[in-house]
Amino acid sequence: MSKALIIAQSENGARELSVAARSLAQEVVLFVAGANAFTNVADKVCHVDVPGNRIADDAYVSLKNVFDSEAPQYILAEDCLASLSLIGRLAAQTGAAVITGVRSFDGDTTESLYFGGVGVRYAKSLSDVKMYVIAQDAFDASLATGSDLVEEVAFIEPDCAVEKLSSEALPPASVDLGSATIVVGCGRGFASKDQLQLARDLAAKLGGEVGCTRPLAEGADWFPREAYIGVSGQVVAPHAYIAVGVSGQMQHMVGCSGADLVIAINKDKNAPIFSQCDYGFVGDIATALPALTAAL
Ligand SMILES: Cc1cc2nc3c(=O)[nH]c(=O)nc-3n(C[C@H](O)[C@H](O)[C@H](O)COP(=O)(O)OP(=O)(O)OC[C@H]3O[C@@H](n4cnc5c(N)ncnc54)[C@H](O)[C@@H]3O)c2cc1C
């Protein structure tokens, strides 16, 4: 009987993997480290209780033991940090290939999007054991099926462990870019955190949301991480995307390629964004934004 081992940290992720796995194998076993043992999503759950001073990624020796005893033909991992780390370790230990970002299967052929959706790639693993990372929302989690059978698996201390010093919950997401019809995207052209108020005023006038480029969320910390748009951040599809002080690098622009209209405001008339927008204004944020907001 063909078997798939799925590696997940969140319940929704486990449910999506379960649906993907059932399209490949007759039996599905879920490996979950640290989080709760989600039931009714797989035929069996192998749950590892991770000690408080360790991180889920360190359950890789326990995972290898489960892999050896279950002998699956397929490994599917959720696209989240711990599961990526775990499948990477397992691939390195077993010498298998991993295909990432999988959205669908046609037999052994996988379909993945790359670079935030600028292209689609079809690929096939030549390994005996097939390992896949499944893209978020690619499979319908509501179709998951399974039993309530849970097997507790011992946490085995790895040779190279990570010590968890502390952790704390962050405030819930403060922006909802996915459903916004207008997004004002802020870039490094903003001189200070205070100057972002000009973008917020414009967004408020238009009933929109404010997002940013990656450097403003990672590094400057002017925005929460979920507010940055691009290949490694949010992909948005508003009616209008207003890019302010944004140069127009490809890694950012693929994140707003679904916008019906792109408007750019930049003081450099040679900025690359001007060749990627529908309307462009050459001007300084300090004067152009208040004037635009006042004119609306
Ligand atoms: C692997 C990888 C992944 C990445 N993923 C992402 C991603 O998902 N999202 C993302 O955004 N970036 C991402 N980046 C970073 C990306 O390559 C760019 O560095 C980043 O998008 C640039 O941000 P920016 O346009 O705000 O800054 P800059 O490129 O520095 O541009 C600032 C712009 O502001 C203009 N400006 C300056 N002052 C003013 C003013 N007073 N008034 C008007 N205009 C002004 C300048 O002319 C300039 O064009 C990634 C990079 C790598 C290597």
Side-chain angles (χ1 to χ4, degrees):
M1 182 154 46
S2 58
K3 194 185 279 189
L5 178 63
I6 62 178
I7 306 168
Q9 290 297 108
S10 74
E11 179 162 10
N12 198 60
R15 299 183 73 83
E16 287 182 22
L17 293 188
S18 159
V19 175
R22 289 205 189 281
S23 72
L24 301 169
Q26 291 148 303
E27 192 181 346
V28 177
V29 176
L30 166 64
F31 179 88
V32 58
N36 296 325
F38 318 117
T39 52
N40 301 313
V41 297
D43 299 309
K44 181 170 81 174
V45 181
C46 294
H47 175 246
V48 182
D49 200 6
V50 178
N53 62 342
R54 293 285 174 256
I55 61 173
D57 312 34
D58 272 351
Y60 63 87
V61 184
S62 306
L63 172 63
K64 177 67 166 53
N65 286 352
V66 170
F67 172 82
D68 289 341
S69 61
E70 296 290 339
Q73 291 81 40
Y74 301 95
I75 310 286
L76 281 70
E78 185 183 4
D79 192 356
C80 69
L81 295 179
S83 300
L84 288 170
S85 177
L86 286 166
I87 195 172
R89 293 271 196 170
L90 190 59
Q93 285 171 303
T94 58
V98 183
I99 299 180
T100 55
V102 175
R103 300 195 58 81
S104 67
F105 295 98
D106 181 5
D108 275 352
T109 304
T110 62
E111 185 210 62
S112 321
L113 297 181
Y114 62 87
F115 249 144
V118 294
V120 62
R121 181 187 67 188
Y122 299 93
K124 188 169 160 175
S125 168
L126 301 179
S127 303
D128 290 341
V129 177
K130 318 285 183 209
M131 298 200 180
Y132 307 116
V133 176
I134 304 299
Q136 283 175 10
D137 299 328
F139 291 86
D140 185 353
S142 69
L143 301 177
T145 55
S147 76
D148 55 7
L149 182 64
V150 178
E151 186 179 299
E152 288 298 331
V153 175
F155 176 84
I156 300 170
E157 189 74 29
D159 288 341
C160 305
V162 171
E163 185 184 6
K164 184 167 84 185
L165 301 176
S166 66
S167 66
E168 61 185 274
L170 292 170
S174 51
V175 284
D176 182 13
L177 296 179
S179 58
T181 53
I182 296 185
V183 174
V184 178
C186 304
R188 271 206 292 216
F190 282 81
S192 66
K193 194 172 179 181
D194 288 347
Q195 200 182 33
L196 295 173
Q197 190 56 42
L198 298 179
R200 294 203 174 93
D201 292 345
L202 176 63
K205 198 79 174 258
L206 294 168
E209 287 278 357
V210 181
C212 65
T213 60
R214 181 165 146 176
L216 269 60
E218 284 184 356
D221 285 341
W222 290 356
F223 280 92
R225 202 182 177 282
E226 63 268 19
Y228 88 77
I229 294 157
V231 65
S232 36
Q234 295 264 358
V235 174
V236 297
H239 292 323
Y241 181 66
I242 308 174
V244 186
V246 172
S247 59
Q249 300 305 312
M250 184 266 281
Q251 290 92 346
H252 179 75
M253 297 310 288
V254 295
C256 59
S257 56
D260 297 329
L261 195 69
V262 176
I263 301 164
I265 300 172
N266 196 300
K267 72 175 183 184
D268 176 6
K269 67 177 173 42
N270 297 315
I273 190 132
F274 285 132
S275 60
Q276 304 170 74
C277 65
D278 300 287
Y279 296 97
F281 297 95
V282 179
D284 195 295
I285 289 169
T287 49
L289 274 198
L292 181 58
T293 305
L296 290 167

